[in-house]
Amino acid sequence: LEDYFVENSEIVFVSMGALSENIELVVDSLRESGEKVGLLRVKCFRPFPMIQIAKTLENAKIIIILEKDVSLGVEGALATEVKAALQDARERPSVLSMVCGLGGRDVTLKEITEVYDKAKGGQTGPTWL
């Protein structure tokens, strides 16, 4: 895992791969505006670091999972695993999972910011971008 301003953040993005680089730019911009936001980059998916993720995200109020994959059902594999890791959390955060960038489509900084706004506005559950 790679932690980018997660410790004091109320809202945390969780992602993997190259998508995390754009999220990091959005986090920098939002933090300049006074937002308490961070990024948790998953660098190794298997074995899935459930305990470390649960501990790292224990203070987050909102989690935004952005990923470029779909697994069985409605959401991506990362969302399924992160939600399982948070199953025993004292206070379960709101989770917005977003599947995006399928087929190699770019995910813009503006789109990532819009997802942040949706999560901050109370939208939860799985969705597609």
Side-chain angles (χ1 to χ4, degrees), residues 5-119:
F5 293 116
V6 171
E7 187 174 325
N8 65 349
S9 295
E10 294 177 359
I11 300 175
V12 178
F13 285 95
V14 179
S15 194
M16 299 185 299
L19 183 57
S20 298
E21 294 174 17
N22 279 353
I23 296 171
E24 196 171 300
L25 294 173
V26 170
V27 166
D28 288 342
S29 174
L30 290 168
R31 288 189 73 81
E32 285 177 11
S33 302
E35 297 291 318
K36 293 181 179 180
V37 59
L39 166 65
L40 181 62
R41 177 181 290 149
V42 178
K43 298 183 93 170
C44 178
F45 192 74
R46 291 286 184 242
F48 195 75
M50 288 185 106
I51 295 168
Q52 296 92 329
I53 284 181
K55 180 144 180 64
T56 304
L57 297 175
E58 68 185 353
N59 295 320
K61 292 179 178 26
I62 300 172
I63 296 171
I64 305 167
I65 303 166
L66 289 179
E67 57 189 314
K68 292 184 166 191
D69 69 89
V70 181
S71 64
L72 295 174
V74 155
E75 59 193 7
L78 182 60
T80 301
E81 296 291 341
V82 169
K83 287 178 180 180
L86 298 173
Q87 192 69 24
D88 295 328
R90 286 186 317 253
E91 293 183 36
R92 293 192 44 199
S94 296
V95 177
L96 173 62
S97 67
M98 179 77 63
V99 173
C100 57
L102 296 181
R105 188 176 84 66
D106 287 336
V107 180
T108 67
L109 302 180
K110 181 181 179 202
E111 289 171 327
I112 295 168
T113 303
E114 289 170 356
V115 171
Y116 174 84
D117 292 338
K118 287 179 183 180

